[in-house]
Amino acid sequence: MPQRLKASLAPAVKRVDAPRAAKPATPQASQFPSTAHDVARLAGVSQSAVSRCFTPGASVSDAMRQRVQQAADTLGYRPNLIARSLIKRESTIIGVVLPDLDNPFYASVVGRLSSMLTETGRRILLFRSPATDSSDPVLEDVLRYRVDGLILVSSPLSSTFADECVRIGLPVVQLNRTSMRARVSSVVGDNVRGAARIAEHLLRHGHRRLAYVAGQDGSSTSQERENGFTAALRQAGLTLALRETGHYTQDGARAATQRLLSLPEPPDAIFFANDYMALAGLSVARHAFGADIGRSLSIVGFDDIPMAAWPEFSLATFRQPIDAMCARTVEIIQAQLGDIGVAPQRLVLPGELVVRGSVRGGVVDPLA
Amino acid sequence: MPQRLKASLAPAVKRVDAPRAAKPATPQASQFPSTAHDVARLAGVSQSAVSRCFTPGASVSDAMRQRVQQAADTLGYRPNLIARSLIKRESTIIGVVLPDLDNPFYASVVGRLSSMLTETGRRILLFRSPATDSSDPVLEDVLRYRVDGLILVSSPLSSTFADECVRIGLPVVQLNRTSMRARVSSVVGDNVRGAARIAEHLLRHGHRRLAYVAGQDGSSTSQERENGFTAALRQAGLTLALRETGHYTQDGARAATQRLLSLPEPPDAIFFANDYMALAGLSVARHAFGADIGRSLSIVGFDDIPMAAWPEFSLATFRQPIDAMCARTVEIIQAQLGDIGVAPQRLVLPGELVVRGSVRGGVVDPLA
DNA sequence: CTGAAAGCGCTAACAA
DNA sequence: TTGTTAGCGCTTTCAG
């Protein structure tokens, strides 16, 4: 609501109860939200009394509360949280930065975070981090809003920026990503172990020519999964045969799959850095290359998004404990909110290998 | 950043340049964001000069700009948008209310809205509307944040609340939903026509026992689609054979599909109120009932989310112009922001029937 | 219990 | 061009 008629500034002499800017004759026409002052005037009480009536633990007489309540109702008064946060130094809004809402995993994360944060009266202010560039400019922007906390979903964080957040006492949590250098809390699934479990399963079922489709180079998540995967291969005396990057997009995954399967010696198993890519890859492999998924070609993802379980895909994957991850994230924010300077936590939550029909040895859906 | 040490309030005598609250000895420990005042002091200029340096069109000398810039840099100063919005009466934040981020259509909408709004420096404050109850309590909450505009994605809006928004001059747009009574702008696809096109196609290909799986009763979108569908049937001398409600959820859609296909005389075609439900329904029909999709049973959705085109589903649908819908929505917000009291618009954007393999007469993917 | 007054960090007249 | 000043709407001492 920008262009409110500018009230002609009062002269140097202070005028208590100065009349507000002239309002249009028609009362229903563009008015503006009424203020505590308006309510106070109507109720014939002080403005601070009004404030108290809207403050949980304040001591107000019943009579006062009545008067104020009624005046507030007739004026449609709603406390201005912007003004409140200025003085309370607490905005009740949490900045959430994420790369992409099209990935169901992220969408689900945001939904859960929103629900959980709402329980303590907080809201999400949404920001998108650029896929490739540094997200520092975005974060710079977030800070201007004086958010109470910052959650970076799968988004990068420079250590200088992390330091800045520490300096100003802003709780920050990286979710589904970490930074080696940045001294901030993070909550991630057990990427190394999960990827190793996947590799072991693949090896156990006779796969020898394995490919990895990375997400974004530079993403800790993708790197850890790759590390866990290749480490397990190494342990078996093997190496990663092929490697592509899908940029965490479905287009990227399709292109990567196409390149892999067009090779003279294509892989006999592909591990994608997440389900979102794996689904796209699986689909292309099956329909564009006629691959016999789960037999001549095994496909595995990571996350266990709902669609992975659909019989159309029956995608083997490593389940991330998404609920727990979100819960822990919110808890860390709360904890740091209450007690500044608590040491940053780096949580690694266990997941679970989910073997399905897209890999050898997987349970084929009896209904398929 | 709540518990800044409360500065002991200054005595009645006004003290210019009053010292701030004592800061911890360790400068890197919990400090707080520096203010324009801090910068001014360090640079040896007035606080308003600092403000000017961060105001695009202000007249500031180069010397001044230099001094201030440097001081600001060393202090890591960032203008407090909360404070700014208080005086500018403009928060640069847009409230977005939506029921569910799990539906890819909504997720995509939010992503696009976010991108488009970001171009004019606005951010999204996210709210979830309850699926069933009135969303008025949520909206009540939104208003406390003094958002510059309000976008309701597929969410209900009472006329009393709509009036309230008009009264306070808040731009509101309903996206993918309308209210008969509420006097607010809305942007929707051509639900009636789209549904009619779907019915016509189905009838033309010999279907006679048609079912509709509604979204949410009370949702204008679901109702319009049903109306368009049944109207087209009526025109052909038919009526809707069966009707279920899927509550816009995949579980609901699966249950509805199960009920329909368990009937002694199951439908030969099912029209789901959106793709999100249709995909789930299609999957269940195929795998749990062995339905021959696109032959003995046709399935159609609405929206044309990306997955509908995947060969696994090849879901026939009516494409909603999601980009245009988001763009129009943002434009309306902008327009009302600039000129209060413009008449509410009710846009109905044309869509396009997308015939695919899930219906008779559909193109079967050659690669399938 | 209530009101007066100060001020959160900022912008915007206005005067110099 | 720059500094002074008066608030934006609210919370919070501090008196009474």
Side-chain angles (χ1 to χ4, degrees):
Chain A
M1 46 234 123
Q3 65 292 308
R4 176 177 211 150
L5 299 173
K6 315 291 187 217
S8 56
L9 287 183
V13 183
K14 183 163 187 182
R15 284 205 283 147
V16 176
D17 247 322
R20 304 187 68 197
K23 291 173 184 173
T26 45
Q28 76 282 14
S30 59
Q31 310 235 124
F32 290 90
S34 39
T35 71
H37 210 178
D38 298 335
V39 175
R41 235 180 348 194
L42 180 59
V45 301
S46 78
Q47 182 266 323
S48 45
V50 175
S51 173
R52 276 187 214 104
C53 289
F54 286 87
T55 305
S59 75
V60 190
S61 71
D62 276 354
M64 170 70 83
R65 198 179 297 281
Q66 297 262 324
R67 293 172 64 88
V68 171
Q69 191 54 256
Q70 184 176 337
D73 285 348
T74 74
L75 289 179
Y77 170 70
R78 266 175 287 268
N80 183 336
L81 289 189
I82 294 290
R84 184 207 298 260
S85 64
L86 189 57
I87 182 162
K88 301 253 289 192
R89 306 170 108 59
E90 187 176 322
S91 61
T92 77
I93 86 180
I94 302 290
V96 170
V97 180
L98 82 172
D100 179 14
L101 233 25
D102 288 327
N103 181 335
F105 183 76
Y106 299 154
S108 182
V109 162
V110 174
R112 281 155 213 257
L113 289 177
S114 174
S115 300
M116 293 174 180
L117 288 169
T118 298
E119 284 172 21
T120 55
R122 275 178 252 273
R123 314 286 167 219
I124 286 180
L125 193 62
L126 209 62
F127 295 81
R128 293 189 49 173
S129 58
T132 50
D133 312 353
S134 159
S135 57
D136 278 17
V138 174
L139 297 179
E140 202 63 46
D141 215 71
V142 182
L143 293 203
R144 287 189 225 285
Y145 285 92
R146 294 298 190 272
V147 294
D148 286 347
L150 184 49
I151 299 175
L152 301 166
V153 184
S154 300
S155 300
L157 176 62
S158 73
S159 58
T160 68
F161 195 89
D163 290 344
E164 174 68 4
C165 291
V166 172
R167 196 179 69 79
I168 63 179
L170 178 70
V172 183
V173 179
Q174 276 191 294
L175 178 50
N176 201 38
R177 180 158 183 162
T178 28
S179 309
M180 322 322 130
R181 298 171 312 180
R183 295 188 56 259
V184 297
S185 297
S186 57
V187 177
V188 297
D190 196 342
N191 298 314
V192 175
R193 189 147 198 291
R197 297 292 317 275
I198 289 170
E200 289 157 12
H201 179 92
L202 259 18
L203 293 174
R204 193 178 311 128
H205 290 274
H207 289 289
R208 287 298 174 270
R209 190 164 173 73
L210 308 183
Y212 178 63
V213 176
Q216 196 75 44
D217 289 320
S219 139
S220 68
T221 297
S222 181
Q223 279 173 359
E224 287 172 11
R225 290 172 193 174
E226 181 166 4
N227 292 345
F229 195 67
T230 54
L233 294 189
R234 205 175 311 120
Q235 199 142 27
L238 284 177
T239 57
L240 187 65
L242 300 159
R243 184 187 190 281
E244 289 282 348
T245 300
H247 307 287
Y248 282 133
T249 68
Q250 293 196 321
D251 280 346
R254 277 185 280 262
T257 305
Q258 240 142 13
R259 284 192 296 272
L260 288 173
L261 297 186
S262 303
L263 255 27
E265 289 189 75
D268 57 12
I270 310 178
F271 170 36
F272 290 85
N274 68 12
D275 285 354
Y276 184 58
M277 292 196 296
L279 290 180
L282 187 157
S283 184
V284 163
R286 178 159 53 197
H287 292 95
F289 289 87
D292 189 2
I293 309 293
R295 301 175 127 297
S296 60
L297 177 66
S298 284
I299 292 202
V300 196
F302 209 103
D303 284 347
D304 196 27
I305 63 177
M307 273 232 159
W310 286 32
E312 278 78 7
F313 304 103
S314 191
L315 175 69
T317 187
F318 191 82
R319 176 176 305 149
Q320 295 224 71
I322 183 169
D323 261 317
M325 290 171 74
C326 293
R328 291 299 90 71
T329 297
V330 171
E331 285 168 16
I332 294 177
I333 294 279
Q334 312 272 35
Q336 302 203 3
L337 228 36
D339 176 13
I340 220 100
V342 295
Q345 301 187 47
R346 290 167 177 271
L347 264 41
V348 179
L349 304 187
E352 179 185 0
L353 184 67
V354 182
V355 178
R356 295 204 183 96
S358 71
V359 292
R360 287 188 203 149
V363 185
V364 177
D365 189 308
L367 298 165
Chain B
M1 45 229 125
Q3 65 292 311
R4 177 175 210 150
L5 300 174
K6 315 290 186 216
S8 56
L9 287 182
V13 183
K14 182 162 189 181
R15 282 205 282 149
V16 177
D17 246 322
R20 305 188 68 199
K23 292 174 185 173
T26 44
Q28 75 282 13
S30 61
Q31 309 237 121
F32 291 90
S34 40
T35 72
H37 209 247
D38 298 334
V39 176
R41 231 177 355 189
L42 180 59
V45 301
S46 79
Q47 182 266 321
S48 48
V50 176
S51 174
R52 276 186 213 105
C53 289
F54 286 88
T55 306
S59 75
V60 190
S61 71
D62 277 353
M64 171 70 84
R65 198 179 297 281
Q66 297 261 324
R67 293 172 64 88
V68 171
Q69 191 56 255
Q70 184 176 337
D73 286 347
T74 74
L75 289 179
Y77 170 70
R78 265 175 287 268
N80 182 336
L81 254 36
I82 294 289
R84 185 208 295 261
S85 65
L86 190 58
I87 182 164
K88 301 253 288 191
R89 297 158 154 318
E90 189 178 320
S91 61
T92 77
I93 86 179
I94 303 290
V96 170
V97 180
L98 81 172
D100 179 13
L101 232 25
D102 288 326
N103 181 335
F105 183 77
Y106 299 154
S108 182
V109 162
V110 174
R112 281 156 213 257
L113 289 177
S114 174
S115 300
M116 293 174 180
L117 288 169
T118 299
E119 284 173 20
T120 56
R122 275 179 251 274
R123 316 284 167 220
I124 286 179
L125 193 62
L126 208 61
F127 296 81
R128 293 190 50 174
S129 57
T132 50
D133 312 354
S134 159
S135 56
D136 277 18
V138 174
L139 297 178
E140 202 64 46
D141 215 70
V142 182
L143 292 203
R144 287 190 226 284
Y145 284 92
R146 294 299 189 272
V147 295
D148 286 348
L150 183 49
I151 299 175
L152 301 166
V153 184
S154 301
S155 300
L157 176 63
S158 73
S159 58
T160 68
F161 195 88
D163 290 345
E164 174 68 3
C165 291
V166 171
R167 194 178 71 77
I168 63 178
L170 177 71
V172 183
V173 179
Q174 276 191 295
L175 179 49
N176 201 38
R177 180 155 183 165
T178 28
S179 309
M180 323 319 132
R181 301 171 310 182
R183 296 187 57 258
V184 297
S185 297
S186 57
V187 177
V188 297
D190 197 342
N191 297 315
V192 176
R193 188 147 197 293
R197 296 293 316 276
I198 289 169
E200 289 158 12
H201 179 92
L202 259 18
L203 293 174
R204 193 179 311 125
H205 290 274
H207 290 289
R208 288 297 174 269
R209 188 164 174 74
L210 308 182
Y212 178 63
V213 176
Q216 197 74 43
D217 290 319
S219 140
S220 68
T221 297
S222 181
Q223 278 172 359
E224 288 172 11
R225 290 172 193 173
E226 181 167 5
N227 292 344
F229 196 67
T230 54
L233 294 189
R234 206 175 311 118
Q235 200 143 28
L238 283 178
T239 57
L240 188 65
L242 300 158
R243 183 185 190 283
E244 288 284 350
T245 300
H247 307 286
Y248 281 133
T249 67
Q250 293 196 319
D251 280 345
R254 276 185 279 262
T257 305
Q258 240 141 11
R259 285 192 296 271
L260 288 173
L261 297 186
S262 302
L263 256 27
E265 290 190 75
D268 57 11
I270 310 179
F271 170 36
F272 289 85
N274 68 14
D275 284 355
Y276 184 59
M277 291 197 296
L279 289 180
L282 187 156
S283 184
V284 163
R286 178 160 54 199
H287 293 95
F289 290 87
D292 189 3
I293 308 293
R295 302 174 126 296
S296 60
L297 177 66
S298 284
I299 291 203
V300 196
F302 209 104
D303 285 345
D304 196 26
I305 63 177
M307 274 234 158
W310 285 32
E312 278 78 7
F313 304 104
S314 190
L315 175 69
T317 187
F318 191 82
R319 176 176 305 148
Q320 294 226 71
I322 183 168
D323 261 318
M325 289 170 75
C326 293
R328 291 298 90 72
T329 298
V330 171
E331 285 168 17
I332 293 177
I333 294 280
Q334 311 271 37
Q336 301 202 7
L337 229 36
D339 176 13
I340 219 102
V342 295
Q345 302 186 47
R346 289 166 178 273
L347 266 40
V348 179
L349 304 186
E352 180 185 358
L353 184 67
V354 182
V355 178
R356 295 202 184 96
S358 70
V359 291
R360 287 188 203 151
V363 184
V364 177
D365 190 306
L367 299 167

